[in-house]
Amino acid sequence: MGPLYHLTGEADRAAAVQNALWRVKKGGNLYCSFILDFAGILFDMKNGPGVFPIDLNNLNAVRLIDSVISGGGYSGPAFTNVFFINQRRIGPFMAQFGVEKLRLFGREGILAPSEKQILTFPKEEQALRIGVAKRFLELPELLAFSEHAMFIGRK
């Protein structure tokens, strides 16, 4: 299923999951994609000057930063109108639908903060780092290093 981060309302995200599950056969898998609340911070930090809001009086920037600390999530303007979820809220959100959690993992993993630098390395060095990073994708304590998370559940 497509990314839930384009649905800024909780009721809209719940309806999307319910509609998808209605179409999934019993025993079938559901894939849900999320943007983690720390993704905005990671993106701004790694993309250099002019990206991170200089004016921290910007209400949306402050709300996003505060959402990481509070764990409450952020819904509003960013690269588009978007919903950023705190990693600790994915499990409870998906649990309401009665799906069995098969996997929850970060899609970029620990590579996200240094993606631009790693892409300049020789292919063999890139492959080595990707191989190491894949071993950490499902560790809950490292999930926030990813910009996106994928939940896979069974109906």
Side-chain angles (χ1 to χ4, degrees):
M1 185 172 109
L4 292 171
Y5 44 87
H6 289 295
L7 302 171
T8 57
E10 176 98 12
D12 292 333
R13 290 187 297 280
V17 172
Q18 288 170 334
N19 283 328
L21 283 170
W22 181 70
R23 290 163 174 79
V24 174
K25 294 178 182 179
K26 185 173 174 83
N29 292 344
L30 175 70
Y31 298 78
C32 295
S33 183
F34 299 88
I35 291 185
L36 300 174
D37 56 2
F38 203 59
I41 308 300
L42 285 173
F43 180 85
D44 288 351
M45 294 292 187
K46 76 179 178 184
N47 285 292
V51 178
F52 199 82
I54 294 170
D55 178 10
L56 288 180
N57 291 320
N58 175 322
L59 179 61
N60 291 321
V62 171
R63 284 179 51 225
L64 177 56
I65 292 166
D66 287 348
S67 77
V68 174
I69 296 165
S70 71
Y74 167 83
S75 185
F79 61 92
T80 185
N81 276 337
V82 68
F83 173 69
F84 291 90
I85 191 167
N86 184 278
Q87 67 191 52
R88 293 181 301 269
R89 296 186 65 168
I90 295 172
F93 173 75
M94 295 306 297
Q96 70 181 308
F97 305 105
V99 295
E100 173 193 358
K101 175 185 156 192
L102 299 178
R103 297 182 72 191
L104 174 61
F105 60 93
R107 294 196 346 230
E108 298 86 3
I110 62 171
L111 301 177
S114 53
E115 175 185 6
K116 286 184 173 191
Q117 181 183 7
I118 292 168
L119 289 174
T120 67
F121 294 172
K123 296 292 182 197
E124 300 79 27
E125 288 290 322
Q126 289 179 29
L128 175 65
R129 283 164 175 76
I130 290 168
V132 169
K134 282 181 176 180
R135 299 183 68 189
F136 302 136
L137 291 177
E138 293 188 65
L139 294 177
E141 64 271 23
L142 298 180
L143 191 59
F145 277 95
S146 288
E147 294 172 356
H148 299 84
M150 177 69 69
F151 177 94
I152 304 173
R154 180 170 296 135
K155 183 175 177 179

